[in-house]
Amino acid sequence: MAGKKNPWGGAGKGEGDGDTPETGESDPGKSGGPRNPWLPGGGSDNGKRRSASIEDIFKNRGPEGPRRSGGGPRGPSFRLPERPGGKSWVPVIAVGVVLLWAGLTSVHFVQPREQGVVTWFGGQYSRTLNSGTNFTLPWPIQQVTVELVSQIRSETVPSGNTEKLILTGDQNLVDLSYLIRWNISDLALYQYQLEDPQDTLLEVGEAAMRAAVAKQELDTVLTGAGRAEIEQEVRDRMQARLDAYRSGIAVQGIEINKTDPPSRVEEAFKDVSSAQQDADAAMNRSRAIAEQLLARAQGDAAEFNNIYEQYRLAPEVTRRRLYYETMESVLSRTDKTIIEADGVTPYLPLNEMQRRRNQPQAATPAQPEGQ
Amino acid sequence: MENIWQTYRIAIIAVGVAIVGLLSFLYVVPETHQAVVIRTGNPERTVNRFRPDVPYGQTGAGISWRIPFFERVQMIDRRVLDLDMERTQVLSNDQQRLQVDAYARYRIIDPVRMVQRAGTEEQLETALLPILTSVLRQELGRRPFASLINAERGTAMTNITSALDRQARQYGAQVLDVRIKAADLPEGRPLDAAFTRMETDREEEAATIRAAGQRDAQIIRAEAQAEAARIYAEAYGKDPEFYDFYRAMQSYRQTFLQGEGESSMVLSEDSEYFRQFRGQR
């Protein structure tokens, strides 16, 4: 058994002989096998005892070799159980592989929102698959390309935060960005009509948008008054173009995201709105002043009217009363100098007055009688 | 297996060679392409050539055959192709410059002529681009600047399309459409001038709004003053003489009580106030 396990089965026979020279027996005739495989000279005279030749190896590996009959529990490779009738497994495996391949490539589960295009050998168009389970001939006879169809896709223009300046009808510039929402309306056309449908869509959109904006004035675009009109016009124009190209694309909608004045002149635009605020503020202030004026006038008029009512009832008395009350309150708070006789040159104690003025306490209690 | 191989080795190799040989006769034309079969340098026939109104599946795409070595197959796009022009400066007839970006959509309708006159799609594109540019320049240069901004209006695009189409037909291509993608003011002075104009435009608007605000404010005050005057006149007009007296009294109080103790008075003894002071006359 040991000999059979040795892959170099042919050389195994000389094992015992090979050991002897090492133990001291130096009979060259008995031990023909080479002690050193790198020294071929020694035992080459005896063909039976040389190391395994290429022919030996092939012989042993052949159907009659040790591997064939001696697999055993520790055999180096897995072996299929014998097929009844002793036939080969090869055709069975081949048929299985073919069936598996056919099954995998001829059944297609097309998801909702998707459609597939079937072609013969990757060339001639056969039909369009709708969503669900579909059967075709196996690859490479028929090929299927699946694409999302009803799902609405969107393209933002411009794609980053860059400024996109468009000329308006009054030769002003507006910074505008928009969104195109679209889907595939006819998959075969979409696949075969245009070289680059997506690029076409963007270019058509660009041309349509500029044409629509060029019809409007800057203010209409900026305030959004013309926005709905532009969106509708761009959509219609794009669809007309894309239909003319038979692109298989349906434009679902255009949304204008922003319409801003160009950043270089933004300050001037902001100043316009602050001017409006300024104007409103000025008017508000004036209104406040006006209200005050009117209230004052009404108050004064009411006061006068009330007094006048009393005055009409007793003119002379009221008049006197008012006179004395006024003089009283006026004179009680002022410094007084009374000149009694005619023709006397009065001495005006101006210095004293000045002094008293600096002493407010002393100035007040003065009475006409006391002086 | 070995037995089969041993027995039929020659046959198997022969079949393999035959299959490879047969395959070299065949080629697949996709729906997106048309094929020109060139036999020793001469276009011999076309496959899947574009014809309008033939539905897909019946156009001739799919497996086709040729004689190997003798016949070479050149695939040519049959889809609508894009000719994207570089941005070009166009001078309008009022001497204004405009940066124009345009595209053309075309289709190769005569692949044989296209192969003979242009060679490949790339070469066709390099041939068509300068034509498009010059046609655009010519046609747009006849128009004033204002109409260039909106070139979609009018006949400009139709003229350009037909002019380009005439030239493209020589190469076996048909031009479907030419569109101006963008018409912009060139960078530098024209753009600066436009920005300055926009700025001054807004400055004017802002100044107008502010002035209007001032004017309205003034009007509001004036109206209030008029109304106040009317109210005063209505009240005081009832007795001007009493008003004179009443207002004088108010005025005295106002004048002398303003700063307390700061006023001095020199009074004549025979003033009205001292009438009683002197005793009854």
Side-chain angles (χ1 to χ4, degrees), chain A residues 124-125 171-172 192-193 195 203 210 241 245 264 278 286 294 300 305 320 335 337 339, chain B residues 31 57 79-80 105 177 181 192 197-198 210 216-217 221 227 232 238 265 267 269 272 275:
Chain A
Q124 191 188 358
Y125 168 77
Q171 298 186 24
N172 286 309
Y192 301 138
Q193 270 289 328
E195 183 196 18
E203 283 193 326
R210 283 183 183 265
R241 287 283 110 220
Y245 301 156
R264 264 175 70 179
D278 288 352
S286 275
L294 285 177
D300 285 352
N305 283 340
R320 286 268 152 213
D335 300 327
T337 306
I339 302 156
Chain B
E31 285 284 358
R79 294 174 292 187
V80 176
R105 300 274 158 203
D177 196 16
K181 245 195 312 189
D192 289 344
R197 190 173 46 71
M198 286 178 79
R210 286 204 174 91
D216 290 350
R221 281 201 303 271
E227 175 66 9
Y232 282 127
K238 281 186 281 198
M265 290 181 96
L267 298 167
E269 178 254 4
E272 172 71 13
R275 198 159 49 88

Side-chain angles (χ1 to χ4, degrees), chain B residues 142-180:
Chain B
R142 282 194 226 141
R143 281 147 213 279
F145 175 76
S147 77
L148 292 194
I149 296 176
N150 206 344
E152 296 281 312
R153 285 182 190 167
T155 52
M157 297 329 289
T158 330
N159 290 352
I160 293 167
T161 308
S162 60
L164 181 62
D165 186 50
R166 225 174 8 254
Q167 304 264 356
R169 296 260 174 185
Q170 298 172 359
Y171 295 96
Q174 173 199 19
V175 174
L176 303 174
D177 196 16
V178 180
R179 293 280 135 194
I180 290 186

